[in-house]
Amino acid sequence: MEDQKVFRFYSFPIIILINYLFFTGIKSEVYTVGGDEQWNTGANFDSWSQQYNYSIGDVLVFKYTEGQHNVYEVTQATYRSCVASSGVIGKYESGNDQVTLTEAKKYWFICNVAGHCLGGMRFSIDVKENPTLIQQQLQHQPHHQKFWNHLILL
């Protein structure tokens, strides 16, 4: 009876620790939007954005001169029209903005400074879940850790 109480008491922290170690092993990528040209007029953002496969947890970094540009995450309709009077999901204006991709979905970004969006300062990306990375993590774990993670993921 005493052994069961000890197991119950220690099992939850052990499960939490195993999950922490498992999930912190999954690495995200950090992308500077526009590459060397950064978030500025004249960069080809469609070409830049198609170079990568984006996953949940990845981070987009928008670097630009504060006051000359901004970054709006918008809906598809706002992206197409370049009119940000509605359909704005997020606004960033610091000149060094970091946007973490938290969902598997399509994201649309524009610069809302007059003429910039229509001039090409916009792009969209598809963010996917990354089950391959999770599968790789499971394959490289000791058998006892696979057992605990399997129980927790159920």
Side-chain angles (χ1 to χ4, degrees):
M1 187 71 155
E2 188 69 29
D3 290 339
Q4 287 180 335
K5 287 181 182 178
V6 170
F7 178 74
R8 285 185 192 158
F9 179 77
Y10 288 110
S11 63
F12 184 72
I14 290 170
I15 290 170
I16 297 298
L17 177 62
I18 290 170
N19 273 322
Y20 173 78
L21 295 172
F22 170 73
F23 286 111
T24 56
I26 297 175
K27 296 181 180 174
S28 59
E29 298 290 330
V30 177
Y31 300 100
T32 299
V33 175
D36 291 337
E37 295 179 24
Q38 301 180 346
W39 185 240
N40 286 298
T41 54
N44 185 337
F45 296 105
D46 283 332
S47 175
W48 173 83
S49 65
Q50 293 173 12
Q51 296 177 45
Y52 306 106
N53 296 314
Y54 304 95
S55 299
I56 294 174
D58 288 349
V59 178
L60 300 179
V61 178
F62 293 82
K63 294 184 178 184
Y64 56 92
T65 303
E66 185 179 358
Q68 290 184 2
H69 302 290
N70 56 38
V71 180
Y72 281 25
E73 181 186 344
V74 296
T75 62
Q76 182 179 18
T78 301
Y79 174 82
R80 288 183 175 172
S81 69
C82 285
V83 177
S85 57
S86 65
V88 176
I89 297 167
K91 294 181 182 182
Y92 308 91
E93 300 174 333
S94 74
N96 188 24
D97 306 310
Q98 296 187 16
V99 179
T100 302
L101 306 172
T102 59
E103 296 180 61
K105 67 174 191 171
K106 187 137 186 162
Y107 287 80
W108 295 275
F109 296 97
I110 66 171
C111 178
N112 194 45
V113 172
H116 290 194
C117 179
L118 289 173
M121 281 192 75
R122 63 180 172 171
F123 70 96
S124 64
I125 57 172
D126 280 312
V127 174
K128 309 270 188 220
E129 292 188 27
N130 198 339
T132 306
L133 190 56
I134 293 172
Q135 191 65 22
Q136 288 173 352
Q137 291 289 328
L138 288 173
Q139 289 173 356
H140 296 298
Q141 292 178 345
H143 291 293
H144 67 279
Q145 193 171 357
K146 288 181 188 179
F147 171 77
W148 284 107
N149 283 333
H150 177 73
L151 286 179
I152 294 164
L153 293 172
L154 290 179

